[in-house]
Amino acid sequence: MVITPAWCGEAFGEQLHRLLSDLHSHPELSWEETRTTQHILSALGQLPGVEILDIGAKTGAVARLAGGSGPAVALRADIDAIPQHEAVDRPDRSVWEGKMHACGHDIHTVSLLGAAMALCKAREQLRGDVYFVFQPAEEALSGARYLTEDCRLFDAIHPRAMFGLHNYPELPVGTVGVKEGILMSFKDVFEMRFIGRSGHSSMPQKNIDPIVAAAAFIQSAQTITSRNVGPLESAVVSICQVHAGTPRNLVVDDVLLSGNIRTLDEAVRKRVLRRFEQIARGTAEAYECRLELDLHPIVPGVDNGREMYDIALAAARASLGEAAVAVPPVNLASEDFSVYGQYVPTFFYFLGSGAPGRPLYSWHNACFYPDERTPVYGAALLAQSVLSAQAAL
């Protein structure tokens, strides 16, 4: 059998729409997803054969649907929102000012709940167990490590493969992006401080001005992407925060800078990080400052391997139709779904969520308004991914 949106039925779509409206209107930030978690547990509790697994997580949920002795497959969705004002006038807009599902994690959550519903209906077709992982704190890029390291997720579940997805407004609803290889970026973060010597601004010879050093570094760091990264390679060096003193007649003691570095290739990443540190230390020395530098990795890139790509492509074609499958461009945003790939073969889809007739606003925009029908397609795609993987592995 094949699980398609049509196979799921019209009532199924209406049920998912109600779930989506409730979650969208009650967004919760990373590590605060208590109501969302209870909503997920309540929905899972109504499904026959679904067992809630207690792994000691503060928020989020993990569940199991028994399906035989064949290969087990896990499905994952993230559940958190972001600190954003919702500018869209919609019936289910956020009830909490300054919090919004502006990245569509409510869509992901409902897609996974829908997949659980569909697989319960198709339980006789399962060759192995299915695990449903509702992950907190993806926006903090720390939820996956929390589940895998602190909660020891893979001691409680034993999948042969794991699938996830992210809505993608640049593709129309009903379509899906399926790509082999790197899809989303490595992310490294930094916090650095140039430390000089404060004093009166009229006597520069007695001071060491860290603002001048910081300004020189900010300019020099941009040469990494223009002169140390090839024109056919990709990297972004973003200095997102600069803090220094406020008085107009005082040279301050120090300047704080922080930001992130994103790359798509490990060799490029190492080259960029090496040059970043060289320029930082060289600038500090040239301007007689002391440097404090904290530069560390957050998540690896999302990388879809060949075997998993073949399974995912077959599942997408079967579930949504061959004409619905597109090859999405690489995206330099980061996703902590990549952490699971260190434990088990994984695949990550970009699920079309663009709504016909609406202006296109991408992730994290206050006007973000994806198509409400997206979870029906996400649910069918994830459910079919399980069947296709269990048949192939």
Side-chain angles (χ1 to χ4, degrees), residues 54-76:
D54 183 4
I55 63 169
K58 295 176 290 187
T59 54
V62 179
R64 170 180 173 267
L65 176 62
S69 59
V73 176
L75 303 175
R76 171 269 199 178

Side-chain angles (χ1 to χ4, degrees), residues 86-110:
E86 184 160 19
V88 180
D89 185 15
R90 51 187 287 183
D92 55 359
R93 66 179 298 170
S94 174
V95 301
W96 294 316
E97 178 58 39
K99 299 179 183 180
M100 178 187 173
H101 269 297
C103 203
H105 293 190
D106 50 344
I107 288 174
H108 310 161
T109 301
V110 176

Side-chain angles (χ1 to χ4, degrees), residues 37 56 85 112 114 118 123 141 159 178 202 221 251 260 274 293 318 330 345 356 383:
T37 297
H85 163 75
L112 184 49
R123 189 174 180 182
L141 292 181
V178 185
S202 67
V251 172
N260 61 79
R274 183 178 65 253
L293 174 61
V330 174

